[in-house]
Amino acid sequence: MFLWGTEVAFYNVAFESMLYDELRARRHQKIYAKVLGIRYNLQAIGTALSAFGSLLMFAGYGWITFASLVSLAIAAMCIASINMRSSQNVKRKVRKTNFIKLMKTGVRICAKTPCILLMFMLSLLVANIAYLDDYLSPIGIEVGLPVQFVGFIQFFILGCAVLGQTFAYRFTRVKDWILYSVICAGGVAFVLFSFFYSLAGLWALGLAYVLFSGVNVLLYSRFQDFVPTTYRSVILSLYSIGDNIIYIGTCLIIGIGGMLGSWRYSILGLGMILIGVGAWALLFIRDKCAIAPTPGAGKVKTTLPVD
């Protein structure tokens, strides 16, 4: 788990910083939402392969373990094949970094730049509160799926997520009130699913995933647009910390629902919170962080603090 956490930290900070800044250096940052959706879709393919393991349980856990080890070996071979050597043998002076001072600077930038802070909070809340992926299998069993076919709920939800992520970039210029209203609509879909809570009611959960997967792409790409390049890594580090903290809160809510006797109570609670998050954005964020209408610039209405 420690190694997994380290890997996630590198991926969410170093990779995302590099991805956005490389696009920005080539003046292609306006397609970041599209690239982000493609990346999420590729990630969904890997998750689908993992979900396929549940359909192989009839062959025993040993077979699934073997398949997992093979996939790890293939991943290691792909990493080893990447040429990491620079074509220019240039010695570079590495500056010492004061970690505490750097983190304080990141916190100060977020605090002094309202749009960074607001998109930071909104993106984290929606991404984590609407995240049920880790609980789809027990939810599938509760709504009536046989254990050997529980992987089908994973495939269905992944398909819905891919649908939202694929077309999200087409709505990068959508008005803010529409975006925040979609958050409320996704929360309503969660509540509806908790009321139906059956195989027939999975349409509501699927609709919620279509909406939230698209909204997540749009909110995160907008958040990245506000972050100054110099401090992107440190602010994404703060984002990664917040991501884990809020997800712990989501897990607690889900656990409380389980203690009450059914996961449906957890989904009901999360849905009501999401409706509240969307209403908060409609009432208090409104169009404060709207994308500027000037074409081709990808600029936003914000003032960055001078450090």
Side-chain angles (χ1 to χ4, degrees):
M1 292 300 291
F2 173 77
L3 292 174
W4 173 76
T6 304
E7 183 267 339
V8 169
F10 276 115
Y11 190 80
N12 289 345
V13 177
F15 178 79
E16 287 296 346
S17 296
M18 181 182 70
L19 178 62
Y20 187 91
D21 288 335
E22 287 293 330
L23 287 172
R24 186 170 187 173
R26 291 161 176 78
R27 298 183 179 180
H28 292 319
Q29 70 266 26
K30 59 185 177 183
I31 68 167
Y32 176 70
K34 184 176 182 179
V35 174
L36 190 64
I38 294 172
R39 183 177 78 75
Y40 285 164
N41 286 342
L42 292 174
Q43 192 172 321
I45 292 173
T47 305
L49 292 174
S50 299
F52 188 73
S54 67
L55 305 178
L56 298 176
M57 284 199 297
F58 66 88
Y61 288 105
W63 168 255
I64 299 174
T65 303
F66 174 75
S68 299
L69 293 174
V70 170
S71 68
L72 288 172
I74 294 173
M77 291 169 59
C78 291
I79 294 172
S81 66
I82 299 174
N83 183 11
M84 302 296 290
R85 296 180 181 179
S86 174
S87 58
Q88 298 178 347
N89 188 16
V90 180
K91 291 185 178 180
R92 303 190 180 191
K93 186 177 180 180
V94 180
R95 293 182 301 173
K96 292 184 178 180
T97 302
N98 187 321
F99 176 76
I100 301 298
K101 184 178 179 180
L102 193 62
M103 295 299 283
K104 287 182 177 179
T105 301
V107 171
R108 189 167 67 251
I109 290 173
C110 290
K112 291 184 178 180
T113 313
C115 285
I116 294 180
L117 182 61
L118 291 172
M119 288 298 108
F120 179 97
M121 293 174 60
L122 189 59
S123 180
L124 280 176
L125 289 170
V126 174
N128 285 281
I129 298 174
Y131 186 82
L132 291 177
D133 297 41
D134 295 338
Y135 301 92
L136 289 176
S137 294
I139 289 172
I141 293 173
E142 273 199 346
V143 298
L145 275 173
V147 175
Q148 62 269 32
F149 298 120
V150 76
F152 282 119
I153 191 173
Q154 293 275 359
F155 291 124
F156 171 68
I157 292 301
L158 282 172
C160 295
V162 167
L163 182 62
Q165 290 158 185
T166 300
F167 297 102
Y169 76 96
R170 295 178 180 270
F171 301 95
T172 50
R173 294 284 172 176
V174 73
K175 292 185 180 297
D176 288 37
W177 70 267
I178 297 177
L179 185 62
Y180 304 150
S181 296
V182 170
I183 298 173
C184 294
V188 171
F190 263 45
V191 172
L192 288 175
F193 176 65
S194 69
F195 286 153
F196 291 110
Y197 208 61
S198 63
L199 289 175
L202 282 175
W203 66 267
L205 185 61
L207 174 62
Y209 262 79
V210 171
L211 297 177
F212 283 127
S213 58
V215 168
N216 285 337
V217 171
L218 296 175
L219 288 177
Y220 189 77
S221 62
R222 187 172 295 192
F223 162 68
Q224 284 272 48
D225 286 339
F226 285 108
V227 177
T229 300
T230 306
Y231 298 103
R232 190 174 307 282
S233 294
V234 65
I235 292 177
L236 288 186
S237 296
L238 293 172
Y239 186 95
S240 186
I241 293 170
D243 189 59
N244 287 284
I245 291 173
I246 295 179
Y247 183 62
I248 289 172
T250 301
C251 292
L252 289 173
I253 295 172
I254 293 175
I256 292 172
M259 290 171 61
L260 294 174
S262 175
W263 300 102
R264 70 189 306 170
Y265 301 122
S266 307
I267 299 169
L268 174 63
L270 293 175
M272 294 176 68
I273 293 173
L274 286 165
I275 294 172
V277 170
W280 166 71
L282 282 168
L283 293 172
F284 297 102
I285 300 180
R286 290 180 285 186
D287 60 349
K288 293 178 181 177
C289 301
I291 298 176
T294 52
K299 296 178 181 179
V300 289
K301 297 187 296 186
T302 183
T303 302
L304 297 176
V306 178
D307 188 19

